[in-house]
Structures are given as C-alpha cells and as structure tokens.
C-alpha cells in the first residue's frame, strides 16, 4: 500500500486495534528460572542465578534462594542446570516479512558453481510448473569458480515458461531470464534508470540478465503481488524462525504494506516477535502530516521511522566510494535512486527531522557514509539539538575522520557482523589493502562513541545472533583463511557483542526502560543458551544452541 491514503488508513486502524493485546494473553504462567548464569546487562548487578517472572514482566533477579522465597504462588520452576540466560535478542536490521517468503523459495545461497546454480533453478521450474515466477534465491557468485556473474543464457533452456528473477544475497542485483526481461520490456535500448545498471554483453550489446539496484524495479514491477493470506503465512514462518534463533524483537526494513500484515497478526494474538517497522523515506510527507512522532505503536508493533538508501552494496560494486574499485577501475560505485533528483535526500531528511521522526539510512561506501554524515550534520544544525538516535545502516567502509563523526553526532552504527566474515573473503580484492583497514570498524566505532546495534540483515545473512556474535568476536572469515581474525583490531568483546544484540537494540527503539536488559519491571523477554559464551573459546561460540526463547513470560521456543 503505497499511496497516501493507504498509509493513513492502516496507521489509524493500528492505533485503535492494538492498544492492549499481547501474545501471551490467555495462557500466562508465571515462571521462576533457577540455577542459571544470568547476564543481566545491568551495571549494578551484571550476573545473577535466577529470574522470576509474573504477568509477563521480570519481578526479581537474584540468587536461587532469594527468588524461591519470593516466587509467585503457582509459578512454574524452570531448572536451568547452569545454562546461560541473556535478554531476548534484538535484531536491529532485518527484512522480516520478505524473509518468510525466502524460507519457502529456491535456495541458491549454497550454489557453489554454475552447474549447481542452473540445476537448482531447473528443479524449481519443474516443481512449480509453467507460468510461475522463480524468485528470491540469495545467490552468491563469489562462491563460483571461476568467480563470474550468472547470465540469462545459463538458465533460459531450463526455464522457457517460468520467468526467473533471483537476487544476489545482498539484494542489490538480480538475474532475470529472457522471459522475465521480455515481460518487463527490457531490451538493449531500455534507458537505464538513475541509480541503476543494466549489464550488457560487451560483444553483442544485449542485456546479460543482470540488473542492479533501481534497474531491478523494471522486473520487480512485473511480479504478481502475493495475496494477503500468503503474506500472513510468510510472516508466521519468519516469526517461528525468529523464536528458534532466540530473537524476540526485530527491526523490519520494509515497505509500508508489510505493516498491515503484522497488525493483523497482532489482532489475532499471533504476533510473537516484537516488530519495529521502518518504512521508506518517500512516505515522509504522510507521517509529517499525521504529526506522528516515532516510535508510534505498542510494545509488539511500532512504526519506528523512515528508511532510505544513499548507495548500493560492495558485492555488486554499487557501494559509493571516493576512489575507484580496485578490481573495476572504471567505477567508484553508484548513488541510489533515492538520491535523485539531486538534493531530494537532504530535503527529506530535514522534513523528517522537523516532524520528529527517526531515520535509518543505508550507506556502505566511504563516500556514501561521508555524504550521509554531512546531511545529518546539516539537519542538526538547522533544527537544533534533540534526542534523535539516528542510524547509519551498514556503515561498512569509513574514512578515519568519519569514524570520529559518529561519536560527535551520537549516531547508531546499525551494523551486521556476519557480513564482515562473509565479505572478508573477497573485500580486499575489491577495494585494496588500504581501505580494508577501516572496513567494518566495529570496535573503532564503539570507541568513538557510536552506539553499536547488531543485526543480521536477514535474508542477506542468516537470522542468527549466535552467528553474529561469533562473527563480531572472532572476525574469522567463512573461508577459514583468517583464524586470528580479519582486521583483528576491530574484534569486539563478547559482552559488547551481546549488548549490541540486546540493550543497544532497545535503546535504538527508545525502549531501554522496558526491555533489553534483565531487570525487575522489564518485559520478560529472555533467551537460554546451552553454553556460556562468555567462558568458552570464542571459536566455539558458533556451536551454541538456543534452548529456550521466552517472550513476555511465555515460552515460545524449546522445552523447559
Ligand atoms: Zn537490509
């Protein structure tokens, strides 16, 4: 729902409908968790053994003996046997609804060769039958040997009757087959939209099937919209997946239309992940007119603010840099379509700020980050000091002076540690040794005073905070080539990694008084892990399993 009135309607309906519902309503059992190792996140009492929970809230944190005495009558005792208890994980950057669709779509992430890639697409075409679109995929051509981008002629023979539109895992390129290009009317003569690229074969001048960033919309516009029931089903798949991963809150980078899906689940009492939704900055005028300050909503579903893009991604060579790419000297990347016409982003940022809205803006290349910090600075200078908690999404490649600016502006670095161990396999080839030194500079950002908010960017990376913590703490790249850590000075401690997945995520939501740490009075959102990640060798963190996930005092995953 992208028109002005659509957003208005769903926003007001949401305000009326979700005032008092909680997922736990109706079957609330009070719990006392004992004999655990509880990391509280509370500086006054960092560790405890037991937690008691009443009516969905934490009512006591202390020793087992203390809490047994105070536990509500009829409470259920959960014996933890020394397991680690953390606040429920908050994933600060997901594509949550889209993730549910991806769980059910073709899986190309593991395709390691052209043959494997083609075979998976051919099998999906047979499974779906003629006429159906083959979508999502999350392929990664960096795994192919030789490394090469896929082409439509690889898959055309297997998909004469199925349009194919499968994305690279970063979401910044797609491969479309000839049928999909035909449906979209893309030919060698199609004008290239600003902020996009239609890759052409250097020999023939014909499109290869690779479309980047805004050019992807040419094909996306042709894909039939899923039904509302299909969206509900996808959202429920995401919610189950979150619970399995110990995730109790997500920040959803979405289209405005995903809001009503979560709203419906909240109404039905089936929303068991707290969802904090950012919608595109193109909606700024609507929100400003509603005088809607962010965040708006209840503890289960909030309209968080606005999301925008300055540039593309490193893997697609569309992240925007000061200097050209090392492996493609003809390009320094691309500004995103939302940066055009020139000056529009700055205007929207100012408008959002005047309206009291939070911003979450994607910037990956060093020049994109610099430009964004300039725009943020100007808005602060124009509108004066305020508790903004503005975010820079990804913040991957930074010039050293810009790292310091994060602290001065009090910004949130909404970063995804798994990307570092994934991209770390090949990033140096793309940008050279010098720029790699300040790539994914998590520890430097933290020291500079930025608030680190960790997330997965699911489905770009797996929705697993355990993997994210492992990545941030070890920086061991997925290819095993950096056992001591890739740019090891940027590793963070286990405690800081956990904080970036819990308390800091709550702070970003302006919700630090109600969740994110284990303290009396806060929501009983907890995760129980099968081992103490603070005590084991960091390389073993990856083996950790989630035993229990508790939301609002209710066990939503695992058996006690
Ligand atoms: Zn994202």
């Amino acid at each position: 729902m992208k028109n002005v009135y659509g957003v208005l309607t769903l926003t007001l309906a949401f305000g009326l409908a979700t005032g008092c519902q909680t997922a736990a309503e109706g079957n609330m059992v009070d719990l006392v968790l004992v004999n655990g190792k509880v990391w509280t996140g509370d500086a006054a009492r960092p560790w405890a053994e037991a937690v008691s929970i009443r009516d969905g809230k934490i009512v006591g944190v202390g020793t087992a003996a203390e809490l047994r005495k105070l536990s509500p009558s009829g409470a259920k005792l959960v014996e933890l046997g020394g397991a680690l208890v953390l606040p429920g994980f908050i994933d600060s950057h997901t594509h949550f609804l889209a993730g549910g669709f991806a769980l059910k779509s073709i899986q190309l992430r593991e395709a390691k060769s052209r043959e494997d890639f083609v075979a998976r697409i051919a099998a999906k075409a047979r499974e779906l039958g003629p006429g159906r679109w083959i979508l999502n995929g999350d392929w990664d051509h960096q795994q192919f040997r030789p490394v090469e981008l896929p082409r439509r002629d690889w898959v055309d023979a297997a998909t004469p009757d199925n349009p194919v539109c499968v994305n690279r895992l970063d979401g910044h390129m797609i491969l479309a087959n000839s049928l999909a290009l035909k449906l979209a009317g893309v030919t060698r003569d199609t004008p290239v939209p600003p902020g996009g690229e239609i890759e052409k074969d250097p020999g023939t001048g014909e499109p290869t099937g690779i479309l980047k960033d805004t050019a992807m919309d040419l094909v996306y516009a042709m894909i039939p919209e899923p039904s509302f029931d299909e969206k509900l089903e996808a959202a429920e798949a995401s919610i189950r997946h979150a619970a399995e991963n110990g995730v109790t809150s997500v920040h959803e980078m979405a289209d405005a239309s995903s809001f009503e899906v979560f709203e419906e689940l909240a109404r039905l009492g089936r929303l068991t992940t707290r969802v904090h939704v950012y919608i595109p900055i193109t909606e700024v005028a609507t929100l400003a007119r509603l005088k809607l300050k962010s965040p708006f909503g209840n503890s289960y579903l909030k309209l968080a603010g606005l999301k925008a893009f300055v540039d593309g991604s490193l893997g697609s060579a569309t992240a925007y840099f000061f200097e050209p790419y090392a492996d493609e000297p003809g390009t320094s990347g691309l500004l995103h379509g939302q940066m055009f016409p020139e000056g529009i982003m700055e205007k929207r940022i100012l408008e959002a700020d005047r309206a009291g809205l939070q911003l979450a803006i994607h910037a990956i290349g060093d020049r994109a980050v610099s430009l964004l910090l300039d725009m943020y600075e100007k808005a602060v200078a124009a509108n004066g000091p305020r508790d903004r908690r503005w975010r820079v999404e990804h913040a991957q490649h930074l010039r050293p002076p810009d790292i310091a600016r994060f602290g001065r502006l009090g910004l949130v670095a909404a970063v995804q540690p798994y990307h570092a161990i994934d991209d770390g396999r090949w990033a140096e080839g793309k940008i050279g040794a010098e720029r790699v030194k300040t790539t994914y500079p998590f520890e430097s950002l933290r020291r500079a005073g930025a608030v680190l908010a960790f997330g997965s960017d699911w489905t770009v990376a797996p929705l697993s905070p355990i993997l994210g913590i492992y990545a941030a703490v070890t920086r061991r790249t997925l290819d095993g080539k950096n056992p001591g850590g890739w740019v090891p000075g940027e590793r963070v401690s286990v405690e800081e990694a956990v904080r970036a997945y819990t308390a800091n995520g709550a702070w970003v939501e302006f919700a630090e008084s109600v969740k994110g740490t284990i303290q009396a009075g806060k929501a009983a959102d907890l995760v129980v892990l099968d081992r103490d990640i603070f005590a084991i060798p960091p390389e073993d963190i990856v083996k950790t399993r989630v035993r229990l996930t508790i939301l609002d005092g209710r066990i939503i995953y695992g058996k006690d």
Side-chain angles (χ1 to χ4, degrees):
M1 204 177 295
K2 282 179 178 164
N3 66 64
V4 166
Y5 297 103
V7 173
L8 180 71
T9 315
L10 71 89
T11 306
L12 293 180
F14 165 67
L16 294 173
T18 54
C20 59
Q21 272 189 337
T22 73
E25 224 169 63
N27 56 351
M28 191 94 74
V29 179
D30 295 333
L31 298 173
V32 183
L33 313 182
V34 294
N35 296 326
K37 292 183 76 175
V38 181
W39 181 85
T40 65
D42 173 8
R45 184 174 201 169
W47 291 93
E49 291 173 359
V51 183
S52 76
I53 296 165
R54 185 164 56 209
D55 295 336
K57 292 254 183 316
I58 296 166
V59 291
V61 182
T63 64
E66 278 166 3
L67 293 195
R68 274 214 182 90
K69 261 187 267 159
L70 295 173
S71 64
S73 63
K76 180 171 165 172
L77 201 70
V78 180
E79 171 60 54
L80 295 171
L84 181 70
V85 184
L86 302 175
F89 291 125
I90 299 172
D91 187 317
S92 291
H93 188 121
T94 68
H95 301 275
F96 200 59
L97 178 59
F101 284 102
L103 285 172
K104 296 194 284 178
S105 309
I106 186 169
Q107 305 296 323
L108 296 170
R109 184 184 290 273
E110 299 303 324
K112 297 257 184 319
S113 65
R114 169 178 173 171
E115 293 69 32
D116 189 1
F117 180 87
V118 173
R120 287 172 193 240
I121 289 177
K124 197 68 182 180
R126 286 193 298 273
E127 178 198 321
L128 291 175
R132 304 272 304 278
W133 282 76
I134 298 174
L135 299 171
N136 301 307
D138 295 319
W139 49 268
D140 179 7
H141 68 292
Q142 294 286 348
Q143 302 199 76
F144 301 166
R145 293 295 172 271
V147 173
E148 58 181 331
L149 285 170
R151 300 170 53 97
R152 66 189 162 109
D153 49 28
W154 292 10
V155 300
D156 276 346
T159 57
D161 304 313
N162 297 86
V164 173
C165 172
V166 287
N167 62 284
R168 187 175 187 276
L169 44 72
D170 60 13
H172 291 272
M173 316 188 201
I174 55 170
L175 173 71
N177 69 349
S178 293
L179 179 56
L181 290 183
K182 191 171 154 214
L183 290 170
V186 175
T187 68
R188 58 187 300 156
D189 302 320
T190 302
V192 181
E197 193 182 327
I198 299 171
E199 198 183 76
K200 307 267 171 62
D201 182 290
T204 65
E206 293 294 330
T208 65
I210 291 289
L211 305 177
K212 297 187 183 180
D213 287 292
T214 52
M216 303 188 298
D217 296 337
L218 298 168
V219 175
Y220 281 150
M222 305 315 296
I223 299 170
E225 174 82 359
S227 70
F228 192 66
D229 282 345
E230 285 170 327
K231 288 183 183 177
L232 287 177
E233 217 178 281
E236 295 212 86
S238 298
I239 287 167
R240 277 193 300 279
H241 193 56
E244 287 161 14
N245 281 287
V247 174
T248 51
S249 297
V250 295
H251 298 181
E252 159 76 321
M253 304 298 161
D255 194 272
S257 69
S258 93
F259 202 84
E260 64 173 329
V261 177
F262 296 109
E263 188 197 348
E264 178 65 7
L265 290 175
R267 201 196 315 273
L268 296 169
R270 301 211 305 249
L271 187 60
T272 55
T273 311
R274 302 185 195 276
V275 186
H276 189 69
V277 184
Y278 293 86
I279 64 172
I281 198 164
T282 45
E283 311 280 6
V284 61
T286 309
L287 300 193
R289 210 160 42 244
L290 286 167
K291 304 265 186 272
L292 192 152
K293 306 274 182 290
S294 59
F296 173 80
N298 66 16
S299 70
Y300 273 84
L301 181 60
K302 280 181 287 188
L303 189 57
L306 296 164
K307 165 84 193 292
F309 291 87
V310 175
D311 66 343
S313 81
L314 183 69
S316 298
T318 52
Y320 191 55
F321 285 92
F322 286 104
E323 306 290 332
Y325 281 83
D327 61 343
E328 289 180 55
T331 180
S332 303
L334 285 177
L335 286 171
H336 191 272
Q338 287 181 348
M339 295 290 286
F340 301 99
E342 216 185 309
I344 184 85
M345 182 67 78
E346 191 174 322
K347 201 172 140 255
R348 285 182 170 145
I349 288 174
L350 277 166
E351 188 178 1
D353 191 35
R354 276 196 300 273
L357 297 165
Q358 193 186 30
L359 291 166
I361 303 189
H362 166 125
I364 288 185
D366 54 16
R367 193 167 187 183
V369 176
S370 244
L371 280 171
L372 177 58
L373 299 186
D374 291 346
M375 292 188 282
Y376 276 175
E377 256 168 17
K378 278 190 196 167
V380 172
N383 295 336
R386 183 168 74 79
D387 187 6
R388 293 176 168 83
R389 307 190 189 185
W390 278 354
R391 318 169 38 139
V392 180
E393 306 305 304
H394 313 305
Q396 276 176 213
H397 311 284
L398 304 182
R399 284 191 155 183
D402 285 334
I403 295 178
R405 287 165 85 196
F406 268 78
R408 282 204 303 278
L409 285 162
L411 295 177
V412 175
V415 293
Q416 299 79 32
Y418 186 89
H419 291 349
I421 63 168
D422 188 351
D423 298 5
R425 290 171 297 151
W426 45 260
E428 187 164 338
K430 290 207 91 64
I431 57 174
E434 191 54 36
R435 282 181 288 190
V436 156
K437 290 180 192 160
T438 48
T439 280
Y440 300 100
F442 304 149
E443 180 63 8
S444 298
L445 281 163
R446 192 186 71 77
R447 290 200 178 163
V451 173
L452 287 184
F454 282 172
S456 60
D457 205 4
W458 185 54
T459 61
V460 182
L463 181 78
S464 164
I466 293 296
L467 270 178
I469 292 167
Y470 163 80
V473 170
T474 68
R475 291 178 76 104
R476 288 181 154 205
T477 50
L478 297 178
D479 57 11
K481 291 191 178 152
N482 295 278
W486 179 61
V487 200
E490 296 296 346
R491 288 176 300 185
V492 304
S493 68
V494 174
E495 180 154 32
E496 290 304 336
V498 169
R499 202 181 295 286
Y501 258 119
T502 56
N504 292 1
W507 186 85
V508 172
E509 293 181 29
F510 294 85
E512 68 274 20
S513 63
V514 293
K515 68 177 185 184
T517 58
I518 301 178
Q519 288 175 281
K522 290 200 175 175
D525 294 358
L526 306 168
V527 57
V528 179
L529 303 178
D530 71 346
R531 66 198 75 193
D532 179 1
I533 60 174
F534 291 83
I536 59 179
E539 58 273 22
D540 290 340
I541 292 174
V542 71
K543 299 175 193 156
T544 306
R545 295 282 164 266
V546 172
R547 268 184 48 187
L548 284 181
T549 307
I550 298 173
L551 177 84
D552 244 354
R554 190 175 69 153
I555 295 171
I556 56 166
Y557 172 73
K559 289 198 180 63
D560 53 296

